[in-house]
Amino acid sequence: MPKISLFHGSQKIISKPVFGAGKAYNDYGLGFYCTQNSELAKEWACPSLDDGFSNWYELETEGLRILDLQSGEFCTLHWLAILVTNRLFDFDTPIMRQGMFYLKNNFLPDISDFDAIKGYRADDSYFSFARAFLSNQISYSQLENAMKLGKLGEQFVLKSQKAFDLIEFKGYEIAEGNKYYALRSKRMEKAKEDYKKSLENADISGIFIRDLILQEVKNDDPRLR
């Protein structure tokens, strides 16, 4: 894999990402969160009407161990297992607690040896989809479909010192708050609307979190692909 361009949306210019900085309770734990889509980074930079910045970097990927959660060996449950491990969830029902333990015990990849991770970004919409699945409200198939709604984006996360050493700042662009906040809000609302429409037909024969537990479904089950 050659050099790739990465973009980080922020309220400030970050010319030198710092290994070990940031919040531990992000989707994939501590790391530097980017996207390969510059327009999406501008949206992420504008959680309000204030202007933000799309920081542009190049990353030399030669020699890096990159975990791609959307490759064929993984399914959405691997992403979800990582999410419930790192994000702060309110597991307020027994089925949610049992589902969390089942995912961790059967689908949690060991990410400790990887330099970077590619996968879904769990913004507010995706987070609500995950909660709905864990509370047995939607099936696995409905969760899979929900992840594709709204094109909310993938993220590329730097996890190791080695990866931080290989990223090079190339510049930045201003993200106009009055434009990109509106685009961000519109994208999220569309995802929620499409999600509600997708639930009009109940997935009676689908696999729910309860079924995963009772049937002891594992990663090699063809129904997960």
Side-chain angles (χ1 to χ4, degrees):
M1 183 185 264
K3 282 187 178 181
I4 60 173
S5 289
L6 295 174
F7 304 89
H8 176 81
S10 176
Q11 293 288 290
K12 57 185 179 181
I13 299 170
I14 303 176
S15 59
K16 183 62 177 177
V18 178
F19 177 68
K23 300 177 181 177
Y25 296 114
N26 281 324
D27 300 353
Y28 304 109
L30 203 61
F32 189 60
Y33 287 72
C34 301
T35 173
Q36 292 180 264
N37 185 320
S38 61
E39 288 296 293
L40 201 56
K42 291 177 181 178
E43 291 182 24
W44 296 354
C46 296
S48 68
L49 289 173
D50 294 331
D51 289 350
F53 301 93
S54 174
N55 296 277
W56 171 35
Y57 309 89
E58 282 189 349
L59 176 68
E60 176 56 69
T61 60
E62 185 69 31
L64 290 183
R65 293 196 64 197
I66 300 173
L67 174 64
D68 186 354
L69 289 170
Q70 292 180 293
S71 66
E73 62 183 300
F74 298 105
C75 68
T76 303
L77 296 180
H78 293 99
W79 165 81
L80 188 53
I82 297 175
L83 188 68
V84 299
T85 300
N86 290 305
R87 288 284 291 267
L88 294 176
F89 269 81
D90 183 10
F91 298 102
D92 48 10
T93 65
I95 188 64
M96 290 186 74
R97 290 191 288 273
Q98 291 175 41
M100 175 196 66
F101 288 123
Y102 190 81
L103 289 176
K104 285 185 176 182
N105 289 333
N106 294 280
F107 291 93
L108 181 62
D110 181 3
I111 65 174
S112 59
D113 290 334
F114 287 93
D115 301 300
I117 300 175
K118 289 177 64 178
Y120 289 119
R121 175 178 180 265
D123 68 358
D124 291 343
S125 296
Y126 280 12
F127 200 65
S128 66
F129 303 156
R131 281 190 58 86
F133 175 71
L134 285 170
S135 59
N136 215 53
Q137 297 177 38
I138 64 173
S139 70
Y140 177 72
S141 177
Q142 288 171 316
L143 174 65
E144 284 263 276
N145 291 333
M147 301 307 295
K148 300 176 177 65
L149 298 176
K151 297 181 180 179
L152 295 172
E154 296 179 9
Q155 52 191 357
F156 191 105
V157 187
L158 276 61
K159 295 287 293 179
S160 71
Q161 182 67 67
K162 181 178 181 180
F164 276 78
D165 291 340
L166 292 173
I167 195 169
E168 180 183 359
F169 180 67
K170 305 299 290 185
Y172 68 89
E173 288 185 349
I174 295 175
E176 301 89 351
N178 59 356
K179 174 182 178 180
Y180 286 98
Y181 174 72
L183 289 174
R184 173 187 176 129
S185 300
K186 183 178 179 180
R187 186 189 299 272
M188 293 178 63
E189 285 304 314
K190 185 176 188 326
K192 292 176 181 177
E193 290 173 8
D194 290 346
Y195 172 66
K196 290 178 181 178
K197 289 179 182 178
S198 73
L199 298 183
E200 292 178 359
N201 296 319
D203 187 13
I204 298 174
S205 61
I207 304 175
F208 288 74
I209 189 68
R210 179 183 174 88
D211 303 312
L212 288 176
I213 299 168
L214 293 177
Q215 297 176 24
E216 298 185 355
V217 175
K218 300 295 193 294
N219 182 46
D220 59 357
D221 193 304
R223 293 174 296 176
L224 300 181
R225 297 297 187 275

